[in-house]
Each structure stands twice: as C-alpha cells, then as structure tokens.
Amino acid sequence: MDALKKEKVYTIEDIFALPDGERAELVDGKIYYMATPSWTHQRISGYLHNVIYNYIKNNDGKCEVIAAPFAVFLYNDNINYFEPDISVICDLSKLDEKGCHGAPDWIIEIVSPSSRQMDYLTKLLRYQTAGVREYWIVDPQKERVTVYLFEKENVEEYMFGDEIPVGIYEGFSIKIE
C-alpha cells in the first residue's frame, strides 16, 4: 500500500509570489483563492468604509479603517494570511507597510457565493481565537448581518434596513440598505 500523499503546506511567501491581480488567503498552510468581488459587494464595502471612516474622523478617533486588499497577519506565523473586506485597528502599533500584525478590533466580511463557508465557519473561528473584538458577516443574498461580539460572548442578527449598533463604539450604529 502506498503511503498517503502529504499535502503541501503553503506559506506567506507563496501568497506574495502570486501573479499580479490574483488574490488568496492562507489558513493553516492551505491556500484559498478569492473571486473578484461583485458590484454589490464593492458597493456595500465602499459604503461601510465611508460610514466608519467618517464616524472615526468626526469623533477624533484614533482607530484606522482599512478596506481590502489589506494583509492581516492574525498570528505570529507564516502559514496564516487574511484579507478581510474591512478592518478597524485601534492599536496603531500593529500597523506597518505590510499590513496588520495581530488581531484588528473589528472585522467585516461581505459574503459572496464562493466565500460563504469561509466567512461563516473558518474565519469566524480564526477571528475569535485571535482576539478580534467584533466580527460582522454581511450577507447580501439573505439581506442579513450577523454580529459577533466576542468579548461579551454575544451574537445578534439584523436585517438590512435595521440600525445595527457597533459594539466597539458606544452610540454608533449603521444601517445597511
């Protein structure tokens, strides 16, 4: 009987070696290629980025909001690499020209048909264990937003059109139409 074929473990170097324009994420040494985002995805991403950016700016906030593509190195290893749709980082010492080293405070992922399992399962677990404080899964197909407040061990669901309170900012809410 032949020995089981060992699966190749990819590293961040493999991600950086991808051809220009090709995007992927790396989870425990396995590459997950990313589809080009749809118009709806980009519209929601741009809207959320603008609303969050304006809130931070108008309230003299010290956090940064950054839209994909932007590297997030959740762990101090070379086999995990994420590109959340939106990252809010309040500890600016985590930021350098390569990306965010450590967990952002708040991550938003916008679900596409090809990312559903990754966003709802794989990333949920990784973000929670890495120390992300708040994780939103925006699902345009279901017109639903699932909000995980990991510090409070709380999960809430909202529909598009609802005022969605932001856990890391008291008194701030966002309505996705």
Side-chain angles (χ1 to χ4, degrees):
M1 182 174 189
D2 291 338
L4 291 175
K5 183 179 176 186
K6 188 169 181 177
E7 194 171 308
K8 177 175 174 34
V9 175
Y10 291 92
T11 67
I12 290 170
E13 289 73 31
D14 295 308
I15 294 289
F16 291 151
L18 291 173
D20 283 348
E22 191 162 0
R23 292 178 48 219
E25 294 179 302
L26 185 65
V27 181
D28 296 333
K30 183 170 175 157
I31 289 183
Y32 295 88
Y33 291 94
M34 300 167 73
T36 301
S38 68
W39 175 74
T40 298
H41 181 284
Q42 291 300 87
R43 199 178 71 190
I44 292 170
S45 178
Y47 169 76
L48 289 169
H49 181 274
N50 287 339
V51 169
I52 297 164
Y53 174 85
N54 287 330
Y55 177 83
I56 292 170
K57 181 179 165 200
N58 294 335
N59 290 280
D60 296 319
K62 304 301 181 223
C63 302
E64 289 285 337
V65 57
I66 305 165
F70 180 72
V72 172
F73 308 95
L74 283 180
Y75 311 104
N76 188 20
D77 65 23
N78 71 342
I79 59 168
N80 287 283
Y81 170 93
F82 297 87
E83 286 189 7
D85 290 313
I86 302 214
S87 301
V88 177
I89 299 108
C90 299
D91 179 354
L92 302 185
S93 71
K94 292 180 179 180
L95 295 173
D96 67 17
E97 289 304 313
K98 291 186 188 249
C100 177
H101 302 271
D105 294 86
W106 179 17
I107 288 178
I108 300 173
E109 293 286 6
I110 303 161
V111 177
S112 63
S114 64
S115 74
R116 186 167 295 284
Q117 182 172 344
M118 185 73 140
D119 294 336
Y120 279 103
L121 300 172
T122 306
K123 289 183 179 181
L124 172 64
L125 178 63
R126 294 308 186 283
Y127 294 162
Q128 182 178 21
T129 59
V132 172
R133 295 168 56 200
E134 182 166 357
Y135 176 40
W136 286 22
I137 301 174
V138 178
D139 194 327
Q141 185 179 6
K142 295 182 178 180
E143 296 189 350
R144 180 179 68 204
V145 180
T146 307
V147 175
Y148 294 88
L149 300 171
F150 294 130
E151 293 174 318
K152 296 179 181 175
E153 298 181 2
N154 190 30
V155 181
E156 298 285 339
E157 294 219 337
Y158 299 91
M159 298 309 294
F160 282 20
D162 293 344
E163 287 286 338
I164 306 168
V166 177
I168 69 166
Y169 291 116
E170 187 75 31
F172 177 35
S173 64
I174 298 174
K175 184 187 285 191
I176 301 172
E177 300 285 354

